[in-house]
Amino acid sequence: MFGCQRSAYLGDDPNSLKEVFKDDFFIGTALNIGQINKTDAATDSLISIQFNAITAENIMKAELIHPAWGKFDFDAADKFVEYGKLNNMYIVGHTLVWHSQLPPFVHAITDADSLRQFMELHIQTVAQRYASSIDSWDVVNEALNEDGSLRESVFYKLLGEDYIVEAFRKTAEAAPNAALYYNDYNIEQSQKRAGVIRLIKKLQEAGVRIDGVGIQGHWNINNLQLDEIEESIEEYAKLGVKVAITELDISVLPNPWDLEGADVNQQFEGGLNMNPYADQLPDSISRLLTDSYEQLFRLFLKHSDKISRVTFWGVNDGQSWLNNWPIRGRANYPLLFDRNNRPKEAFQRIIGIENNSN
């Protein structure tokens, strides 16, 4: 379920990410609707050459796939799954239970029974539909606060803390062959990591299957906490679960608010000093980005026995959500490929790590 030995997933280009790391972990990317529909031939070619795993960036979230009670729109999700099958890719569903990007009718629910019915119907319908197609599910997404306590989401307020156990239980029933993950940001940090460990143990003590933890990996070149990342990989693995780096990107922009993670509800006003690289990235910052990616991948390779997948949150810089978070309209450069799909020095560096070790 977690290995990278299936020959169907291997690429032909010896310098592609998926080929270089084929014996270590899957290399994935998130796809938006344009990429799923293959609206740009160059980007489509890059995806098929470089990656052997895909995650649905938005189209499988509840507000889009379940817009009204009992009514589902599977068109985009079906195309996403077909894309993965045609390219022999590991397919990740994202996400079944999340407090954000819910359809409006859910926010109007005020009683526990109705919300439980929604959650169970949603999981059963979506997970069962793709039971033979989706390799892995982010079952519950971002359920914890920064101190490791449970976020007071609509699910927690009406259903209590056991909603997570029930979500995993129902997903295991609906998709018995898929790997089941808890996914969150900042869970490499000690307090939130402790919360995830409590969550995993609670599921295990309840006899409910959890196969892995997704560390989102929304990091910054000025605050890359490698020791915390390594400790988290080791601590999660001790619990008998795999670790995936699920939404990897490294911001190069100023962060005066010391924001960490990926709370999509945080937005700020910005001036010119908050968008310093509007036209291009200076060589000095590019080198910092390259060094950061090299350090990360050396760490990932050190623990490749514990890591199932490394997925970038986007194909190229132009697609990245960080161009609009936490300030809209900034130019960010967080990925391995630039806005023209050209590989950066960071790409060459991490390719070189593995090639030079062989």
Side-chain angles (χ1 to χ4, degrees):
M1 184 180 291
F2 300 108
C4 301
Q5 287 75 36
R6 287 181 285 179
S7 61
Y9 287 91
L10 306 187
D12 296 322
D13 186 341
N15 290 315
S16 71
L17 292 166
K18 68 179 183 181
E19 179 68 17
V20 168
F21 296 104
K22 67 180 185 292
D23 295 324
D24 304 304
F25 32 68
F26 288 112
I27 293 285
T29 187
L31 298 188
N32 62 29
I33 188 63
Q35 292 157 352
I36 292 167
N37 288 329
K38 302 181 181 181
T39 57
D40 181 79
T43 302
D44 183 57
S45 177
L46 178 68
I47 294 166
S48 62
I49 290 171
Q50 295 294 336
F51 302 104
N52 56 14
I54 53 172
T55 299
E57 184 181 35
N58 281 301
I59 53 92
M60 299 192 87
K61 292 172 181 174
E63 70 174 352
L64 296 178
I65 205 170
H66 192 174
W69 187 283
K71 294 183 179 180
F72 294 85
D73 183 353
F74 292 115
D75 182 62
D78 286 352
K79 290 178 181 177
F80 165 75
V81 168
E82 184 63 22
Y83 188 107
K85 288 182 176 180
L86 288 173
N87 289 285
N88 296 312
M89 291 171 158
Y90 188 88
I91 304 172
V92 180
H94 176 80
T95 173
L96 288 170
V97 178
W98 188 31
H99 66 275
S100 189
Q101 291 184 244
L102 287 168
F105 76 85
V106 176
H107 295 291
I109 295 174
T110 58
D111 66 282
D113 287 343
S114 294
L115 185 63
R116 184 177 293 106
Q117 289 176 32
F118 161 75
M119 188 178 78
E120 293 180 356
L121 173 64
H122 183 79
I123 291 173
Q124 182 178 24
T125 304
V126 178
Q128 275 190 352
R129 182 180 182 87
Y130 301 111
S132 63
S133 305
I134 296 287
D135 295 293
S136 175
W137 273 108
D138 291 335
V139 178
V140 177
N141 197 51
E142 300 175 3
L144 298 179
N145 295 312
E146 296 308 293
D147 64 359
S149 63
L150 285 168
R151 182 193 295 268
E152 292 193 5
S153 67
V154 62
F155 297 103
Y156 177 80
K157 289 178 180 178
L158 292 182
L159 301 179
E161 62 182 29
D162 286 340
Y163 84 88
I164 297 175
V165 173
E166 288 309 305
F168 272 85
R169 191 192 311 276
K170 293 298 181 182
T171 306
E173 294 171 357
N177 296 318
L180 308 184
Y181 277 67
Y182 174 73
N183 189 58
D184 210 333
Y185 58 83
N186 290 350
I187 59 172
E188 72 280 1
Q189 298 179 14
S190 59
Q191 282 189 303
K192 203 166 186 179
R193 177 173 66 234
V196 176
I197 289 171
R198 288 193 296 270
L199 186 155
I200 294 170
K201 288 181 176 179
K202 183 179 179 67
L203 286 163
Q204 292 173 334
E205 290 167 1
V208 176
R209 179 164 63 90
I210 177 172
D211 299 301
V213 174
I215 300 174
Q216 287 187 8
H218 295 296
W219 293 314
N220 190 289
I221 57 170
N222 297 311
N223 189 30
L224 190 59
Q225 299 173 345
L226 294 169
D227 290 343
E228 295 283 1
I229 296 168
E230 181 169 32
E231 184 175 351
S232 296
I233 292 170
E234 293 171 336
E235 289 300 310
Y236 294 141
K238 286 179 183 178
L239 298 174
V241 299
K242 283 288 186 176
V243 175
I245 309 300
T246 56
E247 303 183 18
L248 179 59
D249 46 35
I250 305 178
S251 176
V252 302
L253 294 182
N255 183 22
W257 316 279
D258 294 325
L259 298 178
E260 296 176 327
D263 187 340
V264 295
N265 296 311
Q266 292 177 309
Q267 288 287 328
F268 295 85
E269 296 295 326
L272 292 177
N273 62 324
M274 291 293 100
N275 190 26
Y277 317 127
D279 298 320
Q280 63 181 4
L281 197 62
D283 289 344
S284 59
I285 305 301
S286 180
R287 285 193 293 271
L288 285 174
L289 180 69
T290 299
D291 292 343
S292 295
Y293 269 118
E294 178 182 6
Q295 292 168 341
L296 272 177
F297 269 79
R298 287 191 183 279
L299 178 60
F300 296 160
L301 287 169
K302 178 181 177 181
H303 294 286
S304 61
D305 61 320
K306 307 172 185 70
I307 296 174
S308 57
R309 173 172 50 91
V310 176
T311 289
F312 293 88
W313 206 239
V315 177
N316 61 48
D317 287 342
Q319 176 196 349
S320 174
W321 72 292
L322 288 171
N323 294 302
N324 290 308
W325 185 91
I327 296 173
R328 298 194 65 82
R330 295 201 297 179
N332 212 325
Y333 305 81
L335 298 169
L336 296 184
F337 298 93
D338 69 15
R339 284 162 168 75
N340 295 310
N341 289 320
R342 294 174 301 201
K344 301 179 186 177
E345 179 58 33
F347 170 87
Q348 304 296 345
R349 186 77 66 83
I350 65 172
I351 290 289
I353 296 171
E354 185 70 11
N355 281 340
N356 292 336
S357 67
N358 293 332

